[in-house]
Structure formats: C-alpha cells, structure tokens
Amino acid sequence: MASQNKLKILNDPIYGFITVPSQQIFDIIEHPYFQRLRRISQMGLSYLVYPGANHTRFHHALGCLHLMQKAVYILKYKGVEISSEEEEALYIAILLHDIGHGPFSHAMEHSIVEGVDHECISLLFMEELNKNFNQDLTLAIKMFKGSYYRRFMNQLISSQMDMDRLDYLKRDSFYTGAAEGNINSERLITMLNVVNDELVIEEKGIYSVEKFLVARRLMYWQVYLHKTSLVAEQLLIRVLRRAKELIDEGKTIKSSTALSYFLHNKVRKEDFNAEILEIFSRLDDYDIISAMKEWLDCDDFVLSNLCRMIINRELLKVKIKRKKPDALKIQNHMEKLQEKYDISEKEADYFVFSGEITNLAYKKENNTINILHKNGKISDVIKVSDQLNLKALSKTVVKYYICYPKSKH
C-alpha cells in the first residue's frame, strides 16, 4: 500500500494556501488532541454579537503555523541561523500553543478546572504528545516554556508581537467584520530581524507596529470586551457554577460523560494526570451547548433561566461606566428581582452583579517591541514613535460594568 501523501496544502480565507511543512507536523495535526480544536470556538460567545465569528482554535493554530513559516523564511534570508531541528520545533510549538484551551476558550478557564490556565494544560498536552511522538517534541516544549537559550525563538511564540497575535487580530477582524483590527501581518513579518538574540523590527516597519498596537486596542474595546460578549461570558461562568452547586447539594444533572466528570470533581493543577487529560480532551463547546439545552427544563430557577438567556440570546442588561457602580443601585436591582420571583438573595446574586474590565494594548515592563535603527541602535517603540497615542496605549484603562435583568413592560 502506498504511503499517504502528508505534505498537504490547506485553503485559508485569509492567507490563501497554507502548506504543512513536514510529515511529523501532518501527524500532529491528525492527532485527536489537535482535531478537538475544530470544536472549540476561537472567540467564545462573540458570535452572539458578530454572527460571523464562528471560526475555531483549529483554524487559528494553522494560521499561526503559516505565519511562523514566513517569519523563519525572512529571518534565514537575513542571515539568522536557524537549524532544521529548530525550525521544526518552532512550527510544532506555535501549532500547539493553544491546544490546552477548554470549551468557549477563556470563559471556561476557571469554571471547569480549579484555577488551571490554558497554558498549563497546553504544556500537559505537549508532554503527552511527546510520549507518542518518540520525544520529538522536546525542543518545541523548551521553546514554548522559554527555557531554550535562543530567546528570540520564544519571542516568536509568545511576546507582545508574536505569531499568535499577528494571526488572531487579523483573523478575528476578518470573521467579525470589525475592520479596525485588520493589521498587515505580512509587512510586520517582513520587517523582523534578530540582534543579540532578541527579536527586533526594522525602523521602516514602525508605522506597521503603530497600526498593530492601535488595532489591538480597538479590537479589545470593540470586540473582545464588547459588553454583550462580556455579559454572555459571565452568564456561562455562572451556569457552570450553579450546576456544580446543585450537584454538591446531591441533585442529579444530566450532561456528557466528560462534562459530568469535571462537574462532579474538583480538579486542580496537581491532580492532572494522563487519565484526567484524556477526559479533558473529550470536552468541547458541544458538551456545554447540549448540557445547556438539557438544563433549560430543569426545575432549578437559576440554572434554567441562565441557560435560557444564553440559548435564546435573552441576555441581561449591561452598563459600562468609568466609575464603580453604586452599591445601592445593585441592592435595589437585587430586591426588585427577589420580590418579583420570590427567590433568595443568593439566587438573585446570579442575575445581578458587577465587575471590572481592563484594556492594555502595550506592556512596557517586559518584552518590549524593539525598533532597530539604521545606525544599529535599538530602542523601545514608544520612544521612537511620533504618535502621541502610543504612550496612552501603554496605560491600563479600567472600566466597570453592572449587569441586571431587563425590565419587561
């Protein structure tokens, strides 16, 4: 039997054809752990605001792989030495950088498992895959963790201007239709270089960097922190919290085997082993959606209403302000709700709440975006930029939100 041709090309609506650079990478893409990403949405519940935002983590990971291939080509062309082992490791690390995401991406991070972030689970998946792939992922894991001696390689995977950001801004902008995020990732990659093992951007790429930072900030306000996505995500977190609470009280709640495991068990970082990782790998958006459809008819006022709000998109009212919401206002909404439905304060608390959101487009502390001048000098993009707003982009903006039920006339 002829061996399967594994050097495939895939069609992507943003970059056109993406090539799979090696047989090993094809085999990793084929692995069930990676295929699971087809069932994890890239932008959580944002499709409730932007109907086109149905793209997946699978899609995004392939986009990152494509951009990494471009970056490696450009750097090698400019004389940066990258061995074939390092090249392969860079591709594997960027391909798997998000493999640990749970259902609906960030919303679930602390609801399904107890304070275990997706980077940590990504690492566990990589280590598990490494066993299956004859320890061939060892170098990729080092780069992903930042423990490989060539620092710029980790910066390509994770920094203020890594391949991950260059793909998701462009991709999310494309699928939402929010044109503000449409950055020129090709141009940015063409301007990359390496000096003293650090990633730099050549001086003539400065305007593309400014555009990238502004795009990131606008995408946060307009898309990632959009008030409707925000309230939907909060409701989703509360759905799982309530389901766990009811299970703790001894009530029976229907859900898939994988979801049921995480609802019945408190899983912390130290608990993760190969068996739990296997159960986690069977968990995706579909488990959550089908569970919510089941729970629409359950006899618990809180759970059935939270699920109805998400499934039928009858969300809470949300207001975003510059100042902290008034405690009396919150109390007032709570009392109204308790009175109307004859529910306890604890139950009302699921539908009336407040919190804060922060937006920071550029962190100055570590990992600055460095500009390489023609004379060889290197400086932080903020010092070079003549755009006043870049200074503003490095300040954290905090806003506050309050959510409560809409009053039906």
Side-chain angles (χ1 to χ4, degrees):
M1 193 174 130
S3 72
Q4 188 184 359
N5 170 25
K6 295 183 174 182
L7 299 174
K8 299 272 184 220
I9 54 171
L10 303 147
N11 204 342
D12 180 74
I14 294 170
Y15 310 121
F17 290 115
I18 293 178
T19 53
V20 177
S22 72
Q23 289 208 356
Q24 173 147 281
I25 284 172
F26 180 82
D27 290 337
I28 291 171
I29 291 170
E30 289 280 271
H31 193 281
Y33 286 172
F34 191 80
Q35 288 292 319
R36 162 183 167 272
L37 296 179
R38 290 181 184 273
R39 302 184 300 279
I40 305 269
S41 61
Q42 171 73 12
M43 289 179 64
L45 288 162
S46 292
Y47 63 79
L48 293 174
V49 184
Y50 296 100
N54 278 308
H55 54 304
T56 63
R57 293 264 158 203
F58 181 85
H59 216 164
H60 162 61
L62 292 173
C64 291
L65 171 67
H66 173 75
L67 293 182
M68 187 64 91
Q69 286 174 271
K70 295 243 172 226
V72 166
Y73 173 81
I74 289 287
L75 293 175
K76 282 168 95 171
Y77 176 75
K78 290 179 182 177
V80 178
E81 279 190 30
I82 298 171
S83 71
S84 55
E85 291 78 24
E86 287 171 331
E87 189 173 331
E88 182 84 348
L90 279 168
Y91 298 156
I92 293 170
I94 198 68
L95 190 65
L96 300 179
H97 77 282
D98 268 349
I99 198 169
H101 265 293
F104 290 107
S105 301
H106 295 283
M108 303 280 93
E109 211 153 287
H110 300 289
S111 312
I112 285 176
V113 286
E114 307 278 319
V116 191
D117 57 31
H118 69 272
E119 286 92 353
C120 171
I121 300 174
S122 291
L123 201 53
L124 293 166
F125 271 126
M126 286 186 195
E127 279 158 0
E128 200 54 39
L129 283 168
N130 203 14
K131 291 176 195 165
N132 298 357
F133 283 92
N134 204 11
Q135 302 298 317
D136 284 349
L137 276 63
T138 307
L139 184 55
I141 290 170
K142 265 190 179 169
M143 285 178 184
F144 178 77
K145 293 199 314 205
S147 60
Y148 189 56
Y149 75 98
R150 303 189 76 183
R151 188 167 142 75
F152 79 90
M153 294 191 172
N154 175 255
Q155 289 172 327
L156 285 167
I157 300 157
S158 174
S159 65
Q160 300 234 36
M161 220 179 76
D162 52 30
M163 299 307 107
D164 173 34
R165 288 181 183 188
L166 291 185
D167 181 77
Y168 79 64
L169 282 173
K170 199 168 175 64
R171 189 167 300 280
D172 296 350
S173 149
F174 177 87
Y175 281 97
T176 55
E180 290 76 8
N182 188 10
I183 53 163
N184 191 344
S185 42
E186 300 267 330
R187 163 112 179 134
L188 282 162
I189 288 172
T190 310
M191 295 296 125
L192 285 177
N193 212 327
V194 174
V195 176
N196 301 332
D197 231 19
E198 295 270 341
L199 213 52
V200 293
I201 297 276
E202 290 163 2
E203 191 175 6
K204 54 183 180 285
I206 178 117
Y207 301 116
S208 304
V209 176
E210 289 180 355
K211 168 84 165 55
F212 162 78
L213 290 172
V214 172
R216 187 171 145 76
R217 179 190 179 83
L218 293 175
M219 283 294 282
Y220 266 87
W221 285 135
Q222 203 172 334
V223 177
Y224 308 129
L225 298 174
H226 187 288
K227 62 180 191 171
T228 309
S229 311
L230 183 83
V231 72
E233 196 168 285
Q234 286 299 325
L235 288 170
L236 193 51
I237 290 166
R238 283 164 166 72
V239 162
L240 287 179
R241 195 203 306 157
R242 184 59 173 178
K244 280 184 173 179
E245 212 167 79
L246 294 174
I247 285 167
D248 289 346
E249 287 168 17
K251 298 202 171 61
T252 309
I253 287 185
K254 273 191 189 168
S255 65
S256 69
T257 314
L259 181 57
S260 184
Y261 180 85
F262 288 99
L263 290 175
H264 282 84
N265 298 286
K266 272 196 164 73
V267 180
R268 296 178 305 275
K269 189 174 175 177
E270 55 273 20
D271 303 323
F272 259 93
N273 54 23
E275 189 188 340
I276 291 176
L277 195 65
E278 185 58 41
I279 301 168
F280 185 86
S281 77
R282 291 186 206 149
L283 199 57
D284 54 53
D285 292 8
Y286 295 84
D287 297 76
I288 308 290
I289 293 279
S290 50
M292 287 195 292
K293 284 163 68 183
E294 262 321 310
W295 301 341
L296 281 173
D297 304 317
C298 77
D299 53 12
D300 179 66
F301 175 88
V302 174
L303 189 58
S304 61
N305 275 290
L306 289 172
C307 292
R308 181 184 50 78
M309 286 174 168
I310 296 174
I311 296 288
N312 300 340
R313 201 188 180 278
E314 296 167 5
L315 305 166
L316 296 169
K317 189 168 182 59
V318 55
K319 285 189 171 168
I320 294 188
K321 309 231 157 152
R322 292 267 175 195
K323 287 202 299 229
K324 274 190 176 166
D326 182 12
L328 275 172
K329 256 193 187 144
I330 297 173
Q331 194 55 38
N332 190 10
H333 287 299
M334 287 280 279
E335 284 165 7
K336 265 193 208 159
L337 193 64
Q338 282 171 253
E339 205 175 310
K340 187 172 178 183
Y341 294 106
D342 190 25
I343 54 174
S344 68
E345 185 175 344
K346 189 184 172 191
E347 289 171 312
D349 199 40
Y350 275 96
F351 304 97
V352 180
F353 51 86
S354 63
E356 64 173 49
I357 45 176
T358 55
N359 187 352
L360 175 62
Y362 181 65
K363 277 195 187 102
K364 281 185 295 191
E365 289 70 59
N366 54 352
N367 237 332
T368 52
I369 297 176
N370 286 319
I371 302 292
L372 171 66
H373 300 272
K374 288 193 180 70
N375 62 7
K377 207 175 111 220
I378 290 171
S379 41
D380 183 341
V381 66
I382 289 199
K383 296 196 175 73
V384 189
S385 168
D386 51 10
Q387 273 216 20
L388 291 168
N389 61 5
L390 275 209
K391 282 201 175 56
L393 290 181
S394 61
K395 288 192 175 72
T396 303
V397 180
V398 181
K399 289 184 183 178
Y400 301 92
Y401 64 86
I402 174 171
C403 303
Y404 53 88
K406 293 171 179 167
S407 52
K408 294 209 164 64
H409 300 301

